[in-house]
Amino acid sequence: MASDAKSALRSRIAVRLEAASGALASTTAELLLIPCCEGEPTLPGDAKPLSKPLAALLTDRRERGEFTGKANQLSLAEPHGVISAKRLLLVGLGKRSAVTAETIRQAMGKAAGQIKTLGVTHLATPLFGPGLGKLTPAAAAQAQAEGLLLGLYDFNLYKTETKPPVKSLTRATWVVSDKRLLPIVQGSLKWASIVSDAAMLARDLGNHPSNVATPSKIAELAKALAAELKLRCTIMERAEMERLGMWALVGVARGSQEPPKLIMLEYKGGRAGEPPIALVGKTITFDTGGISIKPSENMEQMKDDMSGGAAVLAAIQAAARLKLPVNVIGFLPATENMPSGTAQKPGDIVKTLSGLTIEVINTDAEGRLILADALTYAARFKPKWLVDIATLTGACGVALGKHAIGLIGTAPKLVAALKEAGEVTGERTWEMPLWEPYYDQIKSYVADVQNVGGRYGGVITAGAFLSKFVGKTPWAHLDIASTAWIDEPRPYTPKGVTGVGVRLLIEFLSRQRSGATKSRRGGRTTRASR
């Protein structure tokens, strides 16, 4: 049953990534990807030897204004025997001085979108990054591979109309001129494949409809991953939650016929007895708002309200596959939020696992209720750091738009580590204050705290609420409500669920160096074996 759930809830992009030495001009791949910088007649990095044979082609495209090398600009061309590859795809990186890992991810994602339409099975490419910005070969290869794989992602499992078969990409070769770089590049390609697969798992889970991705099915998937990767998986049922006193979590589940689950997944890659890092992900598999029901417009998107839990599950999968030297425990409080005759109501008061009581002012502020009990429970494991990630507030989109994750925390070092991981992965965060006056907004006249703080400062008052349930544990909160879903595709992210937070969490975990050999690669600390 567990293996069936695993195959049903996810899809894979089967592209073999490989590094090889040789000359680009002699590659026999069906398609050769060539990077170009804006305003430069010479191609960068390992593509430089092609500058002369392709000079006429590049000059012609520039003079016509068809291709100038601007960021994410593409131009498909026939080499006409000048080189061995059948077709060329020119990829713009913009100004040389502005190239970053995110520039490369976006360029490759844009290229992947066109590759999907070409029926190409094998492509070759040089490294896009060395000599540009401050990127190392390792960082450049990782960014390039992530952009390609994430850009190839499509969620079409439920489409039944037949279309003419289109061949898919199955092999991508990085042609490296310096043989000494082969193991470094190959290591980064493997790393990127695992990270991208995790991000796509989170996308899959969020994109599935809620009648498929139920709390029970997610629990089965967690069990399947545990069996595959030798993790410890524990599923807490409703009766145990009630026995422990998790009435905030159980209260949200009262309106649904789907049984709630508290899913725990543990990976032990650090030293025995070392405090773990605890990750808690909001896993509302569908959110109607409960009795405080949402407007019907766009409610179908509320299948993505479990994106925080999906990110935690996926990050632990990647940590295990990458053999990161850290102990991690993930907690997924999973339930639906539905209206019914048994659903909790505005004005209800619930007692939490911590002992604090909550007045439920708005049943659509349910995420913080389930997180209250999950955070308290996670803190009992005495983690070094406690991080929650949640599609928590619409106010986050009002404050930060669709491009930044809201960040709040009580531990400066933890907040700084998450910020840095966000910058490296392109999943950027913006810190909000957690000042004492904000706590006044969540005071209740009839209970210890109320679950909403009014119209103003909604991201912060939600964070202030959560902070009451972590005790003295160093804690940080990531609000991904405005970044978990997009209506317009981006270079390496199609419309729908983005999988945001997965790569940030993996990067954050990879920097925890306990029991590992330290090495600096591309401005980052990773295992030397990477």
Side-chain angles (χ1 to χ4, degrees):
M1 185 67 175
S3 60
D4 290 343
K6 180 182 173 185
S7 59
L9 287 179
R10 70 156 316 154
S11 58
R12 291 184 184 273
I13 294 176
V15 180
R16 189 177 83 204
L17 308 183
E18 61 187 14
S21 61
L24 284 170
S26 59
T27 181
T28 56
E30 298 163 74
L31 183 71
L32 180 59
L33 263 64
I34 298 295
C36 304
C37 291
E38 186 177 1
E40 295 188 9
T42 303
L43 298 174
D46 280 356
K48 186 176 181 179
L50 297 182
S51 299
K52 188 173 181 179
L54 297 179
L57 171 66
L58 293 170
T59 299
D60 179 64
R61 296 293 163 107
R62 288 194 188 98
E63 289 178 350
R64 291 185 185 184
E66 294 180 6
F67 183 80
T68 60
K70 289 183 178 179
N72 297 340
Q73 196 176 30
L74 301 177
S75 184
L76 188 65
E78 299 287 340
H80 300 296
V82 175
I83 58 175
S84 299
K86 297 177 182 178
R87 284 186 283 185
L88 289 174
L89 184 57
L90 306 175
V91 183
L93 299 180
K95 297 291 185 183
R96 174 184 290 265
S97 59
V99 173
T100 64
E102 181 63 10
T103 305
I104 291 173
R105 270 190 294 267
Q106 291 197 21
M108 284 298 289
K110 194 74 173 179
Q114 183 152 355
I115 290 166
K116 286 188 289 187
T117 70
L118 297 177
V120 172
T121 60
H122 179 206
L123 69 81
T125 181
L127 283 176
F128 278 21
L132 302 174
K134 298 180 180 178
L135 291 171
T136 65
Q142 180 180 337
Q144 206 174 342
E146 285 180 4
L148 174 67
L149 294 175
L150 294 173
L152 290 172
Y153 177 88
D154 276 318
F155 188 80
N156 53 17
L157 298 177
Y158 296 95
K159 293 185 177 181
T160 60
E161 293 182 350
T162 58
K163 295 181 179 180
V166 176
K167 292 186 291 183
S168 300
L169 186 70
T170 58
R171 180 184 171 199
T173 304
W174 272 252
V175 181
V176 182
S177 60
D178 187 347
K179 291 184 178 180
R180 294 171 298 179
L181 293 179
L182 284 176
I184 293 174
V185 173
Q186 191 63 61
S188 286
L189 296 180
K190 180 179 179 181
W191 184 283
S193 181
I194 292 171
V195 170
S196 300
D197 186 65
M200 289 185 282
L201 168 60
R203 289 179 180 179
D204 280 348
L205 290 175
N207 278 321
H208 277 296
S210 62
N211 61 324
V212 173
T214 63
S216 296
K217 287 296 184 183
I218 295 171
E220 290 177 10
L221 173 61
K223 289 178 183 177
L225 289 175
E228 175 193 345
L229 301 172
K230 296 181 173 56
L231 309 175
R232 181 179 180 183
C233 182
T234 306
I235 310 297
M236 187 183 295
E237 304 290 349
R238 186 197 304 265
E240 180 67 6
M241 297 177 204
E242 293 177 347
R243 187 187 71 79
L244 289 173
M246 295 183 174
W247 296 109
L249 198 168
V250 171
V252 173
R254 277 173 47 189
S256 174
Q257 294 187 34
E258 291 287 344
K261 309 285 182 181
L262 179 54
I263 303 163
M264 290 163 280
L265 201 58
E266 185 173 3
Y267 163 68
K268 293 184 177 181
R271 292 190 293 264
E274 184 174 47
I277 291 172
L279 304 177
V280 181
K282 175 186 172 185
T283 316
I284 297 289
T285 56
F286 195 79
D287 182 18
T288 66
I291 296 298
S292 307
I293 197 163
K294 296 177 181 289
S296 60
E297 185 177 5
N298 297 326
M299 194 193 285
E300 73 280 358
Q301 295 179 11
M302 290 300 99
K303 64 182 182 177
D304 84 329
D305 212 17
M306 44 76 70
S307 290
V312 169
L313 190 72
I316 292 178
Q317 171 189 280
R321 288 180 175 168
L322 294 169
K323 296 180 171 55
L324 298 183
V326 63
N327 296 328
V328 189
I329 309 179
F331 299 84
L332 283 70
T335 181
E336 291 182 332
N337 184 28
M338 300 288 286
S340 74
T342 59
Q344 86 180 347
K345 307 169 293 297
D348 285 358
I349 296 175
V350 294
K351 190 173 184 179
T352 65
L353 179 62
S354 71
L356 291 176
T357 56
I358 302 171
E359 181 186 10
V360 180
I361 302 295
N362 186 332
T363 64
D364 194 23
E366 85 297 332
R368 64 201 71 184
L369 296 176
I370 68 170
L371 288 174
D373 280 336
L375 286 168
T376 299
Y377 190 68
R380 291 184 174 183
F381 289 75
K382 301 187 184 306
K384 173 186 175 183
W385 280 335
L386 175 56
V387 179
D388 78 78
I389 179 168
T391 47
L392 205 65
T393 68
C396 193
V398 175
L400 299 176
K402 302 287 288 184
H403 299 281
I405 299 168
L407 173 60
I408 293 176
T410 59
K413 287 185 178 180
L414 173 56
V415 168
L418 291 168
K419 280 183 181 178
E420 189 174 358
E423 289 295 327
V424 169
T425 58
E427 298 186 332
R428 294 184 292 179
T429 67
W430 191 259
E431 186 180 3
M432 301 287 195
L434 195 61
W435 299 330
E436 194 60 35
Y438 290 106
Y439 287 89
D440 293 338
Q441 293 178 232
I442 56 171
K443 286 181 178 178
S444 169
Y445 290 109
V446 293
D448 294 319
V449 66
Q450 63 186 37
N451 75 326
V452 292
R455 179 179 180 184
Y456 300 104
V459 183
I460 302 169
T461 55
F465 177 93
L466 294 178
S467 71
K468 285 185 165 291
F469 299 93
V470 300
K472 296 181 179 179
T473 306
W475 159 82
H477 160 63
L478 296 164
D479 191 334
I480 58 170
S482 63
T483 52
W485 178 286
I486 55 174
D487 291 314
E488 296 294 332
R490 295 175 183 169
Y492 58 86
T493 311
K495 176 182 176 178
V497 177
T498 63
V500 71
V502 175
R503 293 183 299 111
L504 183 156
L505 290 176
I506 297 169
E507 179 67 23
F508 164 69
L509 293 173
S510 76
R511 292 163 177 264
Q512 311 312 309
R513 301 187 297 270
S514 168
T517 303
K518 300 178 185 179
S519 69
R520 298 295 297 180
R521 299 177 55 187
R524 347 179 9 205
T525 303
T526 62
R527 288 177 66 105
S529 60
R530 174 178 158 188

